[in-house]
Amino acid sequence: MAVVWVAAWQMDCCGDPFAVGDRVGWTVDREIDDDWFVAALGPDMASRITHAEQHHDDGRDDLPEVSGRVVSIARAWGAYCPQHPGDQVHVPVPGSHRFLEVSESGGFERHAFSGLTFNGWVVELDEDG
């Protein structure tokens, strides 16, 4: 079983919708930013992530593909704020994460939790082979 992070910005750019029961094949990165996942998703969910889906290989040709059937989908939201006063870059606020189990990736993910930012999906995938 793979647990794949699918970032909202990746899907906004060039992703295809997916649903529980669908067969998918995604290019993934196994090198994930553990600190970001812990802050954005909480330590329990972050520890489950095995791959991060990638549409943009940034010139890397060594990214593997994972394929299989979608078993579950959780939409993920969280709050952001500057790390230091005056910072232009905002970081996840630990403990602000919220999840909603859904049957498909589409919908009104940006409006479910007032004041929080939609981050993406945590997808359980029953891997082929």
Side-chain angles (χ1 to χ4, degrees), residues 1-4 23-24 28 30 50-51 65-71 124-129:
M1 183 78 64
V3 179
V4 182
R23 297 200 75 70
V24 297
V28 295
R30 289 193 170 117
T50 59
H51 303 79
E65 183 173 291
V66 64
S67 61
R69 185 179 56 81
V70 175
V71 175
E124 285 186 328
L125 195 61
D126 185 11
E127 290 181 86
D128 292 338

Side-chain angles (χ1 to χ4, degrees), residues 5-126:
W5 171 251
V6 180
W9 71 268
Q10 295 263 13
M11 290 292 287
D12 283 347
C13 164
C14 41
D16 294 322
F18 53 91
V20 171
D22 284 356
R23 297 200 75 70
V24 297
W26 290 326
T27 300
V28 295
D29 196 342
R30 289 193 170 117
E31 295 177 25
I32 57 176
D33 184 347
D34 290 327
D35 292 338
W36 185 89
F37 282 115
V38 168
L41 305 177
D44 292 339
M45 186 65 84
S47 69
R48 297 180 57 220
I49 305 293
T50 59
H51 303 79
E53 189 269 346
Q54 293 290 330
H55 281 97
H56 307 92
D57 62 13
D58 295 327
R60 293 175 57 190
D61 58 359
D62 63 335
L63 293 177
E65 183 173 291
V66 64
S67 61
R69 185 179 56 81
V70 175
V71 175
S72 71
I73 303 168
R75 292 181 182 152
W77 291 262
Y80 286 80
C81 71
Q83 188 169 8
H84 303 99
D87 282 356
Q88 297 298 313
V89 176
H90 289 200
V91 296
V93 175
S96 68
H97 53 277
R98 300 290 179 270
F99 301 102
L100 179 64
E101 292 289 326
V102 295
S103 61
E104 60 184 19
S105 64
F108 299 97
E109 52 271 341
R110 298 191 192 288
H111 306 289
F113 294 101
S114 179
L116 299 182
T117 299
F118 176 66
N119 287 323
W121 300 265
V122 177
V123 181
E124 285 186 328
L125 195 61
D126 185 11

